Amino acid sequence: MAKKLGYDDTPFLPDSKYRVHDPNRPQPRVVTPGEKSGEPPSDAIVLFDGTDLSKWVSSKDGGEAQWKVENGYLEVVPGTGNIQTKEHFGDCQLHLEWMAPAEAEGESQGRGNSGVFLMGLYEVQVLDCYDNPTYADGTTAAIYGQYPPLVNACRRPGEWQTYDIIWEAPRFEGEKLVRPAYLTVLHNGIVVHNHVALLGTTGHRRLPEYKPHPPVGPLMLQDHGNPVRFRNIWYRVLTGYDQE
Ligand code: MG
C-alpha cells in the first residue's frame, strides 16, 4: 500500500478542492532540467537548435524563412523580412539567446535592432543599448512603446545575451478583453519586467491597443535592418497548478 503523504483532516484551501497538505493533490510532473542553465529541459519545444530553419517561415508570405544559418546560430538577412514559427502557441516560458553585431554601427534605434514578438504582436525589444542611448521605452528588453526595462542589463555587442520570458496571453470573450497580457522578462538573468500588464499590441508612434485575436499565435523575430544573431530558442507550454 502506498504510504499516505498528507492529511485529510485539514481545512480546504480557499477556492480549491484540495485541503492543506492534501494527500490526493496531484504530484507535479517531473521535468529533467538541461545540463547547464539555459539548455532546454525535457519538456521544452525546441524552435531553433542551431541546425536549420525548418520550424520557421517568412512572415511576409509564409514561404521559406530567408535568414542565414551558420555555426549554430541564425542571423537576420536585412531586407528579407520578419520570420515566424510555424507553430502557434499561447502561455509559455520562452528562452532565447541573441547577439548584436560586434561592430557597433549606427545609433539609437539603428544599432543592433531586432525584436521578439510574442504571438506576432507584442514586442520585447532587441537592441544594442550598451553605451547607446535611445528613448527609454525602446531600450533593450523594453516592452516597446510601453515599459522601459527596470534596468539596463546589456552585455557588449558581439557577446551572447539571454532572454527568459514568461508570457501570459490576453484573454478575450468575444470582442471584449477580459484579462490583459502579462510579461515577466529576465535579461541575462536579471529581472527587467515583473509580471507587468500590457496595454495592447506593439506599435510605433501610436498608443497600444487590444484587438481580439486567437488564444495562440506564432513567435516572430524582427528584421529591422541589422544582422542580429539568435540561437538556442525553446519554449515550454505554461499550465496552471494541478494539471495531470
Ligand atoms: Mg525592434
Side-chain angles (χ1 to χ4, degrees):
M1 209 172 86
K3 200 171 142 200
K4 198 172 129 196
L5 295 172
Y7 300 84
D8 48 24
D9 59 352
T10 44
F12 280 94
L13 288 159
D15 302 318
S16 174
K17 58 182 176 178
Y18 298 112
R19 299 172 182 275
V20 176
H21 315 312
D22 198 314
N24 298 317
R25 195 165 184 171
Q27 293 290 311
R29 206 157 45 84
V30 172
V31 173
T32 310
E35 285 292 306
K36 286 186 233 131
S37 192
E39 286 184 3
S42 59
D43 63 346
I45 293 146
V46 175
L47 295 171
F48 178 68
D49 67 0
T51 55
D52 62 50
L53 282 169
S54 57
K55 302 246 173 113
W56 299 77
V57 291
S58 158
S59 301
K60 265 196 297 209
D61 54 13
E64 218 163 290
Q66 300 296 326
W67 293 12
K68 188 160 75 181
V69 178
E70 60 182 18
N71 303 324
Y73 56 77
L74 65 92
E75 185 177 298
V76 177
V77 176
T80 60
N82 302 343
I83 65 169
Q84 65 188 52
T85 55
K86 292 176 182 170
E87 202 152 343
H88 289 210
F89 49 96
D91 296 4
C92 66
Q93 172 188 350
L94 172 70
H95 174 91
L96 59 86
E97 297 164 24
W98 62 271
M99 181 199 284
E103 236 16 59
E105 284 173 0
E107 55 181 37
S108 186
Q109 293 291 303
R111 185 182 296 187
N113 195 335
S114 181
V116 174
F117 282 73
L118 284 310
M119 302 181 89
L121 295 169
Y122 306 90
E123 184 183 18
V124 177
Q125 173 72 304
V126 170
L127 190 71
D128 173 16
C129 282
Y130 187 89
D131 202 17
N132 175 38
T134 185
Y135 46 87
D137 68 17
T139 318
T140 316
I143 297 170
Y144 188 80
Q146 301 183 34
Y147 300 102
L150 296 170
V151 295
N152 178 338
C154 280
R155 295 190 194 280
R156 291 169 183 274
E159 293 181 11
W160 286 104
Q161 315 204 33
T162 60
Y163 278 173
D164 288 283
I165 295 173
I166 299 165
W167 169 248
E168 294 176 40
R171 304 302 202 254
F172 299 95
E173 272 169 20
E175 292 294 297
K176 195 166 151 257
L177 176 78
V178 292
R179 205 184 78 187
Y182 287 95
L183 261 175
T184 297
V185 179
L186 283 79
H187 180 196
N188 296 324
I190 295 161
V191 176
V192 291
H193 299 288
N194 182 12
H195 202 253
V196 68
L198 270 62
L199 306 171
T201 57
T202 301
H204 181 54
R205 303 184 58 174
R206 69 157 171 86
L207 283 174
E209 57 175 347
Y210 280 108
K211 283 193 190 128
H213 57 69
V216 293
L219 177 70
M220 186 172 82
L221 300 177
Q222 185 184 40
D223 169 11
H224 202 283
N226 302 133
V228 174
R229 294 172 182 175
F230 292 90
R231 70 177 185 190
N232 192 22
I233 309 174
W234 55 262
Y235 75 95
R236 302 176 59 246
V237 173
L238 276 192
T239 55
Y241 294 109
D242 304 322
Q243 303 275 328
E244 288 172 85

